[in-house]
Amino acid sequence: PELPSIMARAAVAREAAPEPREGAARVCVELVGDVSRRALGPGEVEIAVRACGLNMPDLLQLADRYQHRADFPFTPGLEFAGVVTRVGSDCADFRVGDHVMAQARGGGLATSAIAKGADCVRLPPNFDFAQGAAFRVGFETAYHALVERANIQPTDVVLVSGATGGMGLAAAQLAKQVFGCTVIALGGADDKLQVVRKVAQVDHVINYTTSPVFADRVKELTGQRGVDVVFDTVGGTVFDQALRCTGFGARVLVVGFTSGSPSK
């Protein structure tokens, strides 16, 4: 039988933005009206969205520059949190009413979204929906890079660029608060760097806007030894300087390029 439509709001991107940073402002419009509810496939769940996170991949997708390209028009929103309203077949892990945080290829900027059950996890009891919608992309990526690729150790000195962004802040928190590393945080605004210092409890902060040539300062902080791990989300000239901060055998993680210039 045909499922009843629901009154819903959804942000819809109708065309690609010229630049990632202009994506959300330029190409998303809010629509109100009847939205068809399709039948769920095996292993899928429908979620009443309570909060949706926005990350750099969302802006890249809106500019048609992300590796997972969407066909326009589409509803963006790669990570979100909410309440399960329907459960498809072959999905025994969730029930209607469960609070979950989910990842999908899009669709989160709406009042209702569909995700694979395998891409959902239960919302921890100490998380609200906003925290759940802003956790997985940043922290799972940071964990994968720092632990599964760089194999960080408590004795490492970790340099995090773009630490004032969601991904960089997650990396700084993991490196310092979970693994006990010495962390040097790089960012472009003093007020935001103070937030990083407070939240992640990093050892040092450097503003690469006022100190664009920061390699000498990093070498000074490390007794001329250099850093063991670089976690770079910025690219461009910041990445070039970060390479000059490395010590012998350092591991360099290229995670993003918010500057608009990929690391080379």
Side-chain angles (χ1 to χ4, degrees):
E2 201 171 294
L3 291 165
S5 296
I6 55 174
M7 288 297 293
R9 295 175 182 267
V12 178
R14 297 199 174 279
E15 60 182 7
E19 295 294 336
R21 292 183 182 279
E22 300 176 13
R26 287 286 298 275
V27 301
C28 279
V29 296
E30 187 177 74
L31 301 181
V32 180
D34 290 339
V35 177
S36 298
R37 303 174 78 189
R38 69 168 176 83
L40 295 179
E44 290 184 329
V45 295
E46 180 187 71
I47 300 166
V49 179
R50 296 290 184 263
C52 180
L54 284 176
N55 300 280
M56 191 63 183
D58 292 285
L59 301 186
L60 289 172
Q61 194 176 55
L62 287 167
D64 203 24
R65 290 174 56 185
Y66 193 49
Q67 58 261 39
H68 302 303
R69 293 189 169 181
D71 294 327
F72 291 85
F74 75 98
T75 296
L78 301 176
E79 68 171 336
F80 47 93
V83 181
V84 174
T85 51
R86 285 191 294 146
V87 178
S89 63
D90 298 328
C91 185
D93 294 331
F94 300 102
R95 296 180 179 180
V96 172
D98 284 345
H99 292 190
V100 297
M101 45 190 188
Q103 287 181 291
R105 292 289 177 88
L109 279 176
T111 54
S112 181
I114 292 174
K116 295 179 181 178
D119 294 330
C120 301
V121 296
R122 281 185 173 79
L123 193 72
N126 59 328
F127 273 33
D128 60 26
F129 288 118
Q131 290 170 314
F135 181 81
R136 294 187 63 189
V137 168
F139 279 90
E140 288 182 6
T141 302
Y143 183 91
H144 172 69
L146 290 171
V147 179
E148 297 177 349
R149 288 293 176 261
N151 188 29
I152 61 169
Q153 302 298 316
T155 54
D156 284 337
V157 179
V158 181
L159 181 69
V160 179
S161 75
T164 53
M167 189 76 67
L169 181 59
Q173 286 181 274
L174 279 173
K176 184 63 188 178
Q177 296 176 297
V178 177
F179 293 96
C181 302
T182 298
V183 177
I184 303 172
L186 304 174
D190 288 334
D191 56 342
K192 293 183 179 181
L193 282 169
Q194 292 311 308
V195 173
V196 175
R197 186 189 289 276
K198 179 180 180 181
V199 172
Q201 300 173 11
V202 299
D203 299 272
H204 310 284
V205 297
I206 298 174
N207 186 328
Y208 49 60
T209 300
T210 56
S211 302
V213 183
F214 53 82
D216 289 343
R217 176 58 178 155
V218 171
K219 286 294 183 68
E220 178 186 341
L221 291 172
T222 59
Q224 303 304 315
R225 187 173 69 89
V227 302
D228 302 292
V229 177
V230 172
F231 184 98
D232 178 56
T233 67
V234 179
T237 58
V238 171
F239 176 76
D240 295 340
Q241 275 291 304
L243 283 183
R244 293 177 172 85
C245 301
T246 54
F248 181 76
R251 293 89 79 196
V252 178
L253 302 163
V254 178
V255 183
F257 48 95
T258 57
S259 66
S261 300
S263 307
K264 298 179 181 180

